[in-house]
Every structure is written in structure tokens, then in C-alpha cells.
């Protein structure tokens, strides 16, 4: 282990990476009054990239990289000396955060039926490990070539957490411009550990400010965010980012009330991804898997094996979805499924349409003329879960049997700002496929007609997609951004006509049959017919 002296910086080189160690300053532990040196480690590779880390808080203080113009900038925020890092307003610049990063709601954790009250440094809650988190201690260090391993013993009871925890954080810069950080921890008791590095990046330079930050292009590999309350404490729900654009939705499309289904007197608890309920097949529905494919001429058959127990559903289910475009502007989608046990299957396609163009927004959506062949809708509660009742559409904004301009009715729906309702399709008893809906965009003349063998269609108008900041009257900082093919998509930018069985059908005896039995075939066909009304 390196000693605290006024020695010249230590130098080492390995695989094109230069490494130095020197002293950054002193840290006086407020609990003991003991002062210890804070060591600094500097890496520099052959690409003119440098990284600096100090032992206080296991903190990254600097990352310098060249730009395409060969100028070198420091791209992380930090301070020049220990005075800054010890400041009460240091927002965790570059620090290793723990024992538990982020928030602990109401500063309580329960492990093995034992509840622990941890420290509250954020009102009633805890943030980033408490008053004396891992960012506020001077870590031990060990140098192994060009790797630096920082270690800290968090003692049993520290900030209220059980168990002695030894943490090791390894930093390394490669000659291919990769900064590698590896966190490891062991504990003497069951405990809660969640570590992270809290660096603040601006690729234009650490001091270039918001003007340059706003020019960054960001992508994050995530389908969900964790929903939070007004104190940023997770509610336990997941918020959807990708709203099922164009996806095949299943094993069960739409909602399953209270995430329970009963088949042959056996009750199954399926996954809850919508509060107490399930939406569109759960956390890992059919929209989140990569399907197998088979090409037959101009037909594409996609197949997926949903295994017994997936998202709580019984039975192995093999699903085949066939896509075909005809020379008469018909997009044909055919769903088929078989099961090894009695199960619930309800599939749909979740395409979002705007006949003016996918990026033309609400202004053009409101010009669409919509008609739906339905005398009834399924009544729903405040969570959009069917009550079992059918409501006649006559005399209401749901009466789309006579074509209506969408902009004239979309804001008049009780309890909703836009349609998100199942319409019970009028169907002659012997018809395999029947007319479901028609949409016309008069300015372009584009027409889409929908035909299907299914008893219902969910008409949805992108109500949950983020608002357009230009029109939003609330706190714009709270708006999410949904970036699509050529820019951002906003609320009421498209409509969906999702042919399917009635939602939650398995839990309502007066709804169409919903159980798929072994030896039987689930079959759902839908035709989207496109034309121009001149």
C-alpha cells in the first residue's frame, strides 16, 4: 500500500497507458479528528485521454478527451482542491455513492422480516447512503499495475444498515478509451447494497453549461422508467416509454383486472405491470422478444414459443403471425396459436396510424373522419378495467356508427382526454370477417378500412404519449420525450384500431369465450385496406 509522504509522483507504464500517483490534499475525519492524505491517481493513454481519481469518496475528478478538432477538454464537473469536495453543497461530483445509491422511501428497509430504520437526510427519506455515505470517507488504496483498487469497510450499523460491508472499487483506463469501473462488496449480515458512480458529464467541456448540454443526443436502452411520487420516491409501478409501437401484443392484449384469471376452477396470478392489474401481457410480453421467422414467397411467418408459466400464464403456447401485402393495398395479418394447457390468449397488433403522415401530429389527427361498426362499448372503472356491463353508444360521443370528425369529439369523452375504449363490433353470426372501422383523412384523401373476425376493437388516440411542450401549460420540466423515426411524437399524434377479444374477457361470463384449450386453434385475422378517396 502506498504511503503518505511528500515523495515525487510515482510513475508506471503498461500497454500504452501511463500511470502516476501523487497527493491531492488532506482529509480530516470529523468523527475522529484524524487527518489522512488524499491520494490522486492519473492515467494517460496513447490517444491523449486522461483520467484522474482521488481516494476521498473514490471520486473521479477529471476526464479529459480530445474532440474531432483535436482540442482537449475536461468533460466532468469537479473541484480544484479538497475545499470544494468538502463543501456542504458538493452535489456528489464524481463520487462513489453508497451504501445505497438513490432513494430509500421513508428511510425503512425490511430484510428477512426484520425492519431497519436508516438515517433520514432527505426529509422523511434517505438519499445516497445518508449523512455520511461512501462519498464522504477517505478510501484505502492498492495499486496493481495501472489498476487502482479502492476499499472501504462500512461497519455494522453505519447509517442504520446491518452488517459489516467491505467494498472494493477498481478503476482502470484502457488504451482504447474505455474507463472501467468494477464494484464488489461482501457483507457479514444480510443487507442492502446499491453502488454507483455519480459523475456529471458535459461532452463539450465541464464548464460549457446548459447551452452545449442541450445539443447532446441521448439514447438509453430501456423500455421502462420507475414511476415516482412527488418526492421522487418509487411507487412500485413501471412507466412505459415505448408505447407498443406497431407491436404484436400478447399473450393477452389489453387489461386483465387485478392480474387474476380463472380457468377450469383454477385461479392463476399473472404479473402486475399496471398497478394491481396487467396490461398487454405483462413485463415481458410478446412485444419484447425477438421472434423466429420463415419466408414463404411474399409472406413472412413470425413464430414464438411462450413457455408454461411465462408472466404467470399456464401452458406452452406456440404463436404464428403471418404478414402479407397484396397488390390491392391490403395489409393482411393472421394470428394463430395452440396451447399445451387451457390458457388465455388474446392477440392484437398495436400500430399507431396517422393518415397524414406519422409525424404530422394532433393537428392533422383531428381532421380524420372516423367510423366504427359498434352498437356498444364495454363499461370500465376508473382504472379502465371492464365492469362487465355493456353501454349502448346511441346518443353519446361513442356513437361512431355515423362518421365523425375526430377533432369534434375527442375532447368530450367523460373522464378521458381522448378515446381508449373497446367497441363491441356488430357481427353477423355466420360472417368469418366483418367490417370494423373506417378512417379518412380528407386533406390527403387517404382511407383505411379495417376488417376482422374478432368481436372487439380498442380505439386509442395516443392519450398517454407526452404532451407537446409548445402546447403544455404546466411544468415543462416534468414532460418526458418520446423520439420516433424523424423526431418527437406527442399526445394525440396517432390513433390505434386494435382488433381483439373484449378486454378482461376471461373474468366476465357474459363476454365472448376467452380460453384456448389443447387441440383447439386460436385464430385472429385482420385486414387493413388502404385507398384514396378522390
Amino acid at each position: 500500500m502506498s504511503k503518505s509522504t511528500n515523495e515525487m509522483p510515482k510513475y508506471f507504464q503498461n500497454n500504452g497507458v501511463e500511470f502516476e500517483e501523487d497527493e491531492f490534499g488532506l482529509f480530516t475525519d470529523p468523527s475522529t479528528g484524524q487527518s489522512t492524505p488524499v491520494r490522486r491517481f492519473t492515467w494517460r493513454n496513447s490517444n491523449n485521454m486522461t483520467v484522474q481519481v482521488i481516494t476521498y469518496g473514490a471520486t473521479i475528478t477529471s476526464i479529459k478527451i480530445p474532440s474531432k478538432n483535436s482540442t482537449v477538454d475536461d468533460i466532468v464537473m469537479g473541484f480544484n482542491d479538497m475545499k470544494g469536495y468538502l463543501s456542504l453543497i458538493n452535489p456528489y461530483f464524481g463520487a462513489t455513492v453508497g451504501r445505497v445509491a438513490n432513494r430509500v422511501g421513508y428511510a425503512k428497509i425490511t430484510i428477512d422480516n426484520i425492519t431497519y430504520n436508516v438515517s433520514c437526510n432527505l426529509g422523511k427519506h434517505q438519499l445516497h447512503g445518508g449523512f455520511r455515505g461512501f462519498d464522504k470517507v477517505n478510501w484505502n488504496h492498492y495499486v496493481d499495475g495501472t489498476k487502482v483498487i479502492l476499499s472501504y469497510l462500512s461497519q455494522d450499523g453505519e447509517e442504520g444498515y446491518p452488517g459489516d460491508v467491505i467494498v472494493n472499487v477498481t478503476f482502470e483506463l484502457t488504451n482504447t478509451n474505455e474507463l472501467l469501473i468494477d464494484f464488489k462488496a461482501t457483507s457479514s449480515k444480510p443487507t442492502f447494497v446499491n453502488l454507483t458512480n455519480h459523475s456529471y458529464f458535459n461532452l463539450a467541456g465541464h464548464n460549457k453549461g446548459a447551452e452545449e448540454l442541450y445539443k447532446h443526443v441521448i439514447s438509453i436502452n430501456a423500455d421502462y422508467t420507475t414511476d415516482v411520487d412527488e418526492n421522487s420516491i418509487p411507487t412500485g409501478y413501471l412507466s412505459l416509454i415505448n408505447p407498443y409501437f406497431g407491436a404484436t401484443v400478447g399473450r393477452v392484449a389489453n387489461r386483465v383486472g387485478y392480474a387474476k384469471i380463472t380457468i377450469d376452477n383454477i385461479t392463476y396470478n399473472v404479473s402486475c405491470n399496471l398497478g394491481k392489474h396487467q396490461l398487454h401481457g405483462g413485463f415481458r410480453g410478446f412485444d419484447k422478444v425477438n421472434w423466429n421467422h420463415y419466408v414463404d414467397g411474399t409472406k413472412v411467418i413470425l413464430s414464438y414459443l411462450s413457455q408454461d408459466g411465462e408472466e404467470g400464464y399456464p401452458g406452452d403456447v406456440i404463436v404464428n403471425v403471418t404478414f402479407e401485402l397484396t397488390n390491392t393495398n391490403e395489409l393482411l395479418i393472421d394470428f394463430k396459436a395452440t396451447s399445451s394447457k387451457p390458457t388465455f390468449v388474446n392477440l392484437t397488433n398495436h400500430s399507431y396510424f396517422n393518415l397524414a403522415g406519422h409525424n404530422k401530429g394532433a393537428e392533422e389527427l383531428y381532421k380524420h373522419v372516423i367510423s366504427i361498426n359498434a352498437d356498444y362499448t364495454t363499461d370500465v372503472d376508473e382504472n379502465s378495467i371492464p365492469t362487465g356491463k355493456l353501454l349502448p353508444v346511441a346518443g353519446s360521443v361513442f356513437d361512431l356508427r355515423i362518421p365523425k370528425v375526430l377533432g369534434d369529439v375527442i375532447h368530450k369523452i367523460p373522464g378521458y382526454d381522448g378515446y381508449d375504449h373497446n367497441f363491441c363490433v356488430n357481427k353477423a353470426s355466420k360472417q368469418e370477417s366483418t367490417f370494423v372501422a373506417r378512417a379518412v383523412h380528407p386533406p390527403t384523401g387517404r382511407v383505411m378500412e379495417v376488417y376482422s373476425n374478432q368481436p372487439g376493437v380498442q380505439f386509442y388516440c395516443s392519450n398517454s404519449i407526452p404532451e407537446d411542450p409548445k402546447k403544455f401549460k404546466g411544468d415543462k420540466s416534468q414532460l418526458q420525450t418520446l423520439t420516433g423515426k424523424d423526431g418527437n411524437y406527442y399526445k394525440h399524434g396517432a390513433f390505434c384500431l386494435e382488433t381483439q377479444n373484449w378486454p378482461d374477457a376471461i373474468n366476465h361470463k357474459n363476454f365472448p369465450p376467452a380460453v384456448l384449450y389443447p387441440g383447439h386453434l386460436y385464430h385472429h385475422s385482420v385486414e387493413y385496406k388502404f385507398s384514396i378517396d378522390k
Side-chain angles (χ1 to χ4, degrees), residues 177-231:
N177 291 3
E178 297 168 314
L179 174 59
L180 310 179
I181 308 176
D182 188 76
F183 303 86
K184 291 179 180 176
T186 58
S187 178
S188 64
K189 295 180 182 179
T191 193
F192 185 12
V193 174
N194 185 26
L195 307 176
T196 193
N197 180 271
H198 208 300
S199 289
Y200 287 66
F201 295 94
N202 187 322
L203 298 182
H206 70 99
N207 57 356
K208 293 301 197 292
E211 182 177 353
E212 291 300 320
L213 186 78
Y214 295 158
K215 297 176 183 177
H216 285 63
V217 179
I218 302 293
S219 60
I220 296 177
N221 180 27
D223 291 329
Y224 296 88
T225 61
T226 44
D227 182 55
V228 294
D229 65 15
E230 67 278 4
N231 296 308

Side-chain angles (χ1 to χ4, degrees), residues 37-94:
V38 175
R39 306 297 292 174
R40 176 172 59 186
F41 310 96
T42 303
W43 293 261
R44 182 178 295 103
N45 68 17
S46 60
N47 301 311
N48 206 20
M49 176 178 176
T50 63
V51 173
Q52 290 185 318
V53 172
I54 60 173
T55 53
Y56 178 75
T59 297
I60 297 171
T61 60
S62 173
I63 300 177
K64 295 181 180 179
I65 58 172
S67 71
K68 63 183 180 181
N69 301 318
S70 299
T71 58
V72 176
D73 291 289
D74 192 341
I75 62 164
V76 292
M77 288 182 166
F79 299 104
N80 291 321
D81 51 33
M82 279 302 298
K83 181 180 179 181
Y85 286 103
L86 294 172
S87 167
L88 294 178
I89 60 171
N90 171 14
Y92 305 94
F93 277 156

Side-chain angles (χ1 to χ4, degrees), residues 166-290:
I166 294 179
V167 182
N168 292 281
V169 184
T170 302
F171 294 88
E172 181 182 10
L173 176 66
T174 73
N175 208 31
T176 52
N177 291 3
E178 297 168 314
L179 174 59
L180 310 179
I181 308 176
D182 188 76
F183 303 86
K184 291 179 180 176
T186 58
S187 178
S188 64
K189 295 180 182 179
T191 193
F192 185 12
V193 174
N194 185 26
L195 307 176
T196 193
N197 180 271
H198 208 300
S199 289
Y200 287 66
F201 295 94
N202 187 322
L203 298 182
H206 70 99
N207 57 356
K208 293 301 197 292
E211 182 177 353
E212 291 300 320
L213 186 78
Y214 295 158
K215 297 176 183 177
H216 285 63
V217 179
I218 302 293
S219 60
I220 296 177
N221 180 27
D223 291 329
Y224 296 88
T225 61
T226 44
D227 182 55
V228 294
D229 65 15
E230 67 278 4
N231 296 308
S232 295
I233 303 301
T235 63
Y237 301 154
L238 298 182
S239 300
L240 186 64
I241 298 173
N242 172 14
Y244 304 96
F245 279 152
T248 293
V249 172
R251 182 179 297 197
V252 175
N254 221 308
R255 293 155 178 85
V256 176
Y258 299 96
K260 288 182 182 292
I261 64 173
T262 299
I263 302 171
D264 295 345
N265 297 318
I266 301 173
T267 298
Y268 299 89
N269 296 302
V270 299
S271 61
C272 304
N273 67 325
L274 186 69
K276 298 177 181 179
H277 314 289
Q278 187 189 87
L279 177 67
H280 291 332
F283 294 102
R284 188 177 181 267
F286 290 3
D287 60 297
K288 294 179 178 63
V289 297
N290 196 21

